[in-house]
């Protein structure tokens, strides 16, 4: 059952935000693999996952629908011919998903000493304001006080 977050008629066009919130709520509550999220600058973020025992070939990073970053890990089972007296290190697969805000870009990823680092950037949005010109309906406008919006004029071009 879906719970509507933005029920006010003043919130128009926020359906995609509700979908992202639902996606985040459905994300795995499993704590494996552990991860950090750090801010690397005014517009930079880094996700670091502890993936000890995984080789680069065992990991996959995808960006789905431009809003979801999915990291998957699957280790090959290479224990043929080996006899374990104790096996405490499991070849465990995982999937970790992060919901990204609109405009977040994946800049790169690298594996270093069992840590998978993924750099993200949040471009600064342009500030845009525009004035909406209002004119009177009808030809001369004197007899009719009804106004209508004609067109949008970008700010600074009046």
């Amino acid at each position: 059952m879906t719970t509507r977050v933005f029920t006010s008629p003043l919130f128009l066009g926020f359906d995609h935000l509700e979908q992202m919130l639902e996606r985040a709520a459905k994300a795995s509550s499993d704590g494996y693999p552990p991860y950090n999220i750090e801010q690397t600058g005014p517009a930079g973020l880094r996700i670091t996952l502890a993936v000890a025992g995984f080789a680069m070939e065992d990991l996959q990073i995808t960006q789905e629908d431009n809003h979801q970053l999915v990291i998957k890990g699957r280790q090959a089972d290479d224990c043929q011919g080996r006899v374990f007296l104790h096996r405490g290190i499991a070849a465990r697969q995982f999937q970790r998903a992060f919901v990204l805000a609109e405009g977040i870009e994946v800049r790169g990823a690298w594996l270093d000493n069992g840590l998978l680092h993924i750099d993200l950037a949040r471009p600064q949005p342009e500030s845009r304001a525009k004035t909406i010109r209002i004119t009177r309906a009808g030809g001369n406008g004197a007899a009719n006080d009804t106004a209508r919006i004609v067109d949008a004029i970008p700010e600074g071009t009046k």
Side-chain angles (χ1 to χ4, degrees):
M1 183 176 152
T2 303
T3 303
R4 303 274 310 170
V5 177
F6 300 106
T7 56
S8 171
L10 300 176
F11 292 120
L12 303 175
F14 284 91
D15 298 341
H16 69 284
L17 188 56
E18 283 184 320
Q19 291 171 353
M20 286 193 315
L21 290 171
E22 283 180 25
R23 217 180 279 157
K26 289 179 186 175
S28 173
S29 60
D30 184 18
Y32 182 77
Y35 64 92
N36 292 336
I37 301 175
E38 62 183 298
Q39 187 161 0
T40 59
L45 299 169
R46 178 174 295 145
I47 300 172
T48 302
L49 288 93
V51 292
F54 285 86
M56 282 192 336
E57 304 81 39
D58 300 333
L59 299 168
Q60 179 185 18
I61 303 171
T62 57
Q63 189 171 356
E64 300 173 357
D65 298 330
N66 224 19
H67 293 292
Q68 187 162 1
L69 183 69
V70 179
I71 300 105
K72 296 178 184 176
R74 171 176 237 139
Q75 290 179 315
D77 193 12
D78 62 347
C79 57
Q80 291 143 339
R82 297 166 69 184
V83 176
F84 290 95
L85 299 178
H86 172 75
R87 187 166 184 181
I89 303 172
R92 185 174 174 187
Q93 65 181 10
F94 71 88
Q95 177 173 322
R96 172 74 67 186
F98 298 91
V99 179
L100 303 178
E102 193 168 324
I104 297 284
E105 300 172 357
V106 179
R107 294 295 174 131
W110 73 96
L111 186 62
D112 182 38
N113 293 325
L115 297 174
L116 176 63
H117 304 280
I118 304 165
D119 277 347
L120 308 171
R122 179 184 348 191
Q124 298 300 319
E126 293 180 17
S127 176
R128 296 187 326 216
K130 60 182 177 181
T131 302
I132 310 297
R133 185 173 60 203
I134 301 173
T135 63
R136 297 201 179 274
N140 60 11
N144 190 350
D145 284 344
T146 305
R148 63 185 173 96
I149 298 174
V150 175
D151 60 358
I153 304 168
E155 191 69 32
T157 59
K158 297 191 261 183

